[in-house]
Amino acid sequence: MKKLDVIKRIIDCGVVAVVRAESPDQALKIAEAVKAGGVESIEITMTVPGAMDVIRELAKAYPNKEILIGAGTVLDAETARSAMLAGAEFIVSPYFSPDVVKMCNRYQVVSMPGAMSVKEVVEVMESGADFVKFFPGNAFGPSMIKALLGPLPYAPFIPTGGVSLENAGEWIKAGCQAVGVGGELTKGAKKGDYAEVEDTARKFVEAVKAARK
């Protein structure tokens, strides 16, 4: 899939599901549930046991790119490359690693490094990254996005941490390209209720659409 197509799909849906699971099986079930709820972009974090195997399994299960598979909590270029070979089409990091972005640019894979301060955001954009992961979002909230977009109106923000059904629309209205949602979206999985995960995913997609009208 072409890089620009991946970027467009992430923005069009407006929701990235951040999957932190206790087992590979749970991660796969969460991915299926959020897809059924309308979320196309699914980030499998490297904290999931057997994360690379989960990415591989998802790539096999959806050979026609019905979902976008991402790797999250990527801390180094070696992990980024391994994730790409497993099938990841976007790479997310909690901080800015020039080596990770360089690896992504080399293979034309979408990158999303973490940043918070003006200096960090500028460094991320200068590196050629595709999105700025505003993290942790709950430290400041949507008002920080408005403040940052004052001097940096072209910054492509996707916040994670602190995004809920109640404030997802606020993040979008503040100027974010999409929102990254973890625990708030997948909490139903802890009790084995994947129907709840699907329903919550649908509600997040609807909240983003409503905020864009």
Side-chain angles (χ1 to χ4, degrees):
M1 181 174 291
K2 293 181 180 178
K3 184 176 182 178
L4 290 177
D5 292 336
V6 174
I7 292 171
K8 184 177 184 301
R9 284 181 67 179
I10 290 173
I11 294 173
D12 285 351
C13 177
V15 181
V16 177
V18 182
V19 178
R20 296 185 185 280
E22 298 170 0
S23 68
D25 182 62
Q26 187 185 59
L28 288 167
K29 287 178 179 177
I30 290 172
E32 291 169 5
V34 297
K35 176 189 177 294
V39 175
E40 293 186 1
S41 306
I42 301 171
E43 171 191 337
I44 304 299
T45 65
M46 290 297 105
T47 56
V48 173
M52 291 297 181
D53 291 333
V54 173
I55 290 172
R56 242 178 245 109
E57 285 300 313
L58 286 173
K60 288 180 183 177
Y62 300 102
N64 297 318
K65 312 296 185 184
E66 296 94 336
I67 61 171
L68 292 177
I69 307 162
T73 322
V74 174
L75 304 181
D76 50 66
E78 293 81 3
T79 303
R81 183 57 180 152
S82 295
M84 293 175 201
L85 292 172
E89 292 171 304
F90 63 97
I91 304 293
V92 186
S93 303
Y95 77 113
F96 170 48
S97 165
D99 289 340
V100 169
V101 177
K102 185 176 180 179
M103 182 67 73
C104 290
N105 288 343
R106 180 179 296 148
Y107 293 102
Q108 288 297 286
V109 172
V110 170
S111 61
M112 195 185 302
M116 178 170 284
S117 69
V118 173
K119 182 177 184 292
E120 290 173 339
V121 172
V122 171
E123 288 174 345
V124 166
M125 292 192 296
E126 286 178 344
S127 73
D130 302 290
F131 294 103
V132 179
K133 170 179 171 164
F134 182 68
F135 175 80
N138 53 356
F140 290 100
S143 61
M144 186 63 169
I145 296 295
K146 291 182 180 179
L148 289 169
L149 287 174
L152 305 170
Y154 32 77
F157 287 113
I158 296 182
T160 61
V163 178
S164 65
L165 278 173
E166 289 71 31
N167 67 19
E170 293 178 38
W171 288 104
I172 296 298
K173 289 178 181 178
C176 293
Q177 301 293 307
V179 293
V181 193
E184 284 291 311
L185 172 56
T186 63
K187 58 187 177 184
K190 290 185 177 181
K191 53 188 177 182
D193 190 347
Y194 295 97
E196 180 183 323
V197 176
E198 178 182 339
D199 183 59
T200 305
R202 189 171 293 109
K203 288 176 180 176
F204 268 104
V205 172
E206 290 170 355
V208 168
K209 286 182 179 178
R212 287 174 169 172
K213 288 182 180 178

